Amino acid sequence: MNSICTLDIESILNEATALLEKYIQIDTVNPPGEVDEAISFFQTIFINENIEYKIYDCPSGKKAIAGILRGKSEKSLLLLNHMDVVPVEKDKWDFEAFSGKLRNGYIEGRGTLDMKGLGIAQLMALLFCKRQAIKPQKTIIFLAVPDEEIGGKEGTQYIVNNYWNDLKPEGVLDEGGFGTKDINKKFPVFFVACGQKKGIWLQIKAHGKAGHAAQPTDDNPNDILIKALHKIITHPECPTDDPILWNTICEVAKLKNRIYYLITKLYRVRVMRLAIGKFLHKIKFFNAIIRNTETISMIKAGEKVNVIPEEAEAFVDCRVLPQVDYFDVIKRLQKLVNDKRIVFNVVKEMRQSDISDSNTQLFRIIDKNIRKKYHNAKVLPFITPVGTDAKYFREKGICSYGIYPIIVSQDDLESFHGNNERVSINEYRKCCEILIHIVQEYCF
Ligand SMILES: [Zn+2]
């Protein structure tokens, strides 16, 4: 890294807070996910800062925008963020959902966590680097996209498929990981997403015999379906034996106590994995990252209280670890249910995503800069249970990491896509600083 002048970090952090407030106030709720105003917001900043930019027209009529700081080499780092946010149930919020105001130590509003907050932190990293007197070694590209919340097909995927030559990143920074103090108060853990689970939506249909509800029969499709679903709920899959995942779990266990650590070290033994899985079942985050999961999200059957319907159906959201064939997941469920009157149909299959190696220079720079701000912190790779647009880069073999370097509480986690979304100002300022330093160290 070349020596660079240090700009006034304090004024940069104040600027970040002011920009985030304005950005939260722009309505980009998806659906419909209109982003024209957000595009103008970034465009104005790029013009004022004399930053090269390009606007992409997506097939949906929506736009994406890239701000580019050319480096001495063709190699580039991509800062990927989405402009759209999920809807809010305004009456369930304790504060105005689109104010972006700072109150009681928090910046409040939809997008502060997912992911306008991180988007502005990425923007600040770009501005910080642009304001340096010297040119970076690597090119820095800030890319704000629409429609991530509906899968990214007409956003990131379209840009990757049609404008690859504009991007060709060596590395990507995106959302998906965060820090927590819930494991050990003294040693915060930051999980960096190196991969993500794949989603499969299944319809499970029970066929029976229609009739009058006054005469119960064994062919009632509701009963058949309930029995099948009960088997699925009560027989979660055995946790994976993937060594990379278990390395992370062992490191986390070490922060708890030595006994937990020694037990998790025995993960290669299936009985131990089952026992640990049973224990972790109650902690929703760990339960979701150690195994394939099946969540019954919709059940539909019957029209009238006194009528047995002909059919009953349930929809199940399966989240499968990378490299697991979804046929194996369906086969397991079919075997478990073991009833010919039940049919499994795949409603939607999301894309398979690769895993980025954590043994890279970029990961080490992330690790180092997080630990500079949070002494004693552990920075660990993990597979995120949720989908992000990083998958479109990972499947092209590009090393992509998801990290919003802030410490979140259990309440914060609930507010992702939920109510009362907000970010602590202290955490947010640290996040901006960490991100600036990561980009600076990697690109200069
Ligand atoms: Zn997001």
Side-chain angles (χ1 to χ4, degrees):
M1 187 176 75
N2 291 322
S3 64
I4 55 168
C5 59
T6 32
L7 295 167
D8 179 6
I9 196 80
E10 194 53 34
S11 71
I12 291 260
L13 297 180
N14 293 337
E15 199 179 336
T17 318
L19 283 174
L20 181 55
E21 180 182 339
K22 275 193 198 152
Y23 192 25
I24 296 291
Q25 288 170 1
I26 300 172
D27 180 357
T28 56
V29 169
N30 203 354
E34 293 301 338
V35 290
D36 284 355
E37 206 183 328
I39 294 284
S40 309
F41 169 78
F42 288 121
Q43 189 182 16
T44 308
I45 295 168
F46 295 150
I47 291 170
N48 291 343
E49 297 278 337
N50 198 20
I51 287 174
E52 176 187 341
Y53 70 91
K54 185 167 176 178
I55 293 174
Y56 297 95
D57 289 306
C58 299
S60 57
K62 294 172 195 168
K63 293 178 169 64
I65 187 165
I68 307 140
L69 178 57
R70 301 259 169 224
K72 288 178 190 157
S73 85
E74 286 258 299
K75 287 180 179 168
S76 69
L77 174 67
L78 182 75
L79 307 173
L80 179 65
N81 63 89
H82 62 85
M83 295 175 279
D84 57 331
V85 294
V86 292
V88 298
E89 290 179 277
K90 282 188 180 170
D91 54 324
K92 302 222 167 70
W93 284 55
D94 297 332
F95 47 80
E96 164 56 46
F98 298 98
S99 82
K101 289 264 180 288
L102 178 60
R103 199 173 62 104
N104 303 331
Y106 286 85
I107 306 169
E108 297 176 334
R110 176 59 93 219
T112 45
L113 294 174
D114 184 13
M115 77 168 283
K116 286 178 169 174
L118 183 53
I120 292 297
Q122 292 182 345
L123 175 74
M124 296 325 293
L126 179 79
L127 299 186
F128 184 89
C129 293
K130 166 70 182 169
R131 292 169 192 172
Q132 303 295 327
I134 52 169
K135 200 174 180 172
Q137 292 292 329
K138 288 177 185 147
T139 297
I140 303 161
I141 305 170
F142 166 95
L143 179 65
V145 295
D147 284 346
E148 189 273 348
E149 294 293 1
I150 53 165
K153 277 198 166 54
E154 297 200 357
T156 302
Q157 188 185 9
Y158 176 78
I159 293 164
V160 163
N161 288 346
N162 293 279
Y163 298 97
W164 185 247
N165 284 340
D166 285 3
L167 307 171
K168 284 189 296 190
E170 186 184 56
V172 175
L173 293 181
D174 186 26
E175 62 179 346
F178 50 84
T180 174
K181 271 187 174 171
D182 288 347
I183 297 157
N184 187 317
K185 293 269 169 286
K186 283 193 212 137
F187 302 93
V189 183
F190 285 82
F191 293 100
V192 179
C194 292
Q196 60 187 282
K197 286 171 100 177
K198 175 172 104 157
I200 309 152
W201 293 353
L202 293 181
Q203 178 204 46
I204 301 182
K205 209 167 194 168
H207 294 272
K209 240 186 187 156
H212 198 295
Q215 293 171 308
T217 72
D218 290 339
D219 295 323
N220 183 337
N222 291 336
D223 297 357
I224 298 167
L225 182 68
I226 288 167
K227 281 176 193 156
L229 297 181
H230 181 256
K231 285 181 187 164
I232 294 173
I233 300 166
T234 48
H235 293 83
E237 201 163 326
C238 178
T240 171
D241 60 357
D242 178 72
I244 301 169
L245 173 105
W246 281 97
N247 186 42
T248 294
I249 300 284
C250 291
E251 289 297 324
V252 169
K254 209 192 268 178
L255 294 172
K256 275 293 191 194
N257 63 50
R258 198 167 160 72
I259 297 169
Y260 283 177
Y261 175 62
L262 293 174
I263 293 171
T264 49
K265 275 294 217 190
L266 300 170
Y267 74 86
R268 283 187 192 84
V269 185
R270 189 182 152 87
V271 196
M272 291 311 291
R273 282 206 307 284
L274 281 168
I276 299 166
K278 212 167 180 182
F279 177 72
L280 290 178
H281 192 77
K282 295 176 209 107
I283 311 167
K284 87 178 173 183
F285 171 73
F286 286 110
N287 182 52
I289 66 169
I290 60 168
R291 64 171 118 227
N292 304 323
T293 57
E294 295 97 17
T295 303
I296 301 158
S297 46
M298 279 159 57
I299 298 176
K300 291 181 186 170
E303 299 284 340
K304 208 162 177 284
V305 181
N306 59 354
V307 177
I308 298 172
E310 179 99 18
E311 287 176 343
E313 58 179 1
F315 290 85
V316 181
D317 183 340
C318 306
R319 298 288 163 142
V320 179
L321 290 160
Q323 280 134 17
V324 173
D325 191 329
Y326 80 87
F327 278 116
D328 292 337
V329 175
I330 299 171
K331 253 190 255 162
R332 186 188 86 89
L333 294 179
Q334 280 171 328
K335 206 173 150 195
L336 189 66
V337 167
N338 191 25
D339 190 332
K340 288 201 170 64
R341 296 167 298 178
I342 296 272
V343 178
F344 289 78
N345 296 311
V346 177
V347 179
K348 190 172 173 181
E349 183 202 342
M350 287 158 237
R351 297 166 83 92
Q352 183 69 47
S353 167
D354 295 328
I355 301 175
S356 298
D357 188 358
S358 58
N359 186 17
T360 62
Q361 184 207 9
L362 183 54
F363 193 95
R364 282 188 286 277
I365 290 174
I366 293 170
D367 173 57
K368 180 180 143 192
N369 283 290
I370 289 178
R371 284 188 298 104
K372 241 196 231 169
K373 272 276 153 220
Y374 296 89
H375 314 287
N376 303 334
K378 276 245 164 237
V379 180
L380 300 170
F382 89 119
I383 304 294
T384 170
V386 297
T388 70
D389 276 357
K391 60 181 174 278
Y392 300 117
F393 291 92
R394 288 198 191 103
E395 69 188 17
K396 282 194 162 281
I398 307 299
C399 178
S400 307
Y401 300 124
I403 179 69
Y404 190 172
I406 54 170
I407 288 178
V408 290
S409 65
Q410 199 50 45
D411 281 351
D412 296 335
L413 279 180
E414 304 285 338
S415 77
F416 273 89
H417 290 208
N419 305 325
N420 297 329
E421 186 176 343
R422 59 181 195 169
V423 65
S424 142
I425 181 71
N426 288 338
E427 289 301 314
Y428 190 63
R429 288 168 67 94
K430 282 186 204 165
C431 151
C432 290
E433 241 184 293
I434 291 168
L435 215 68
I436 286 169
H437 288 137
I438 290 171
V439 175
Q440 191 186 66
E441 185 169 344
Y442 187 70
C443 296
F444 277 86

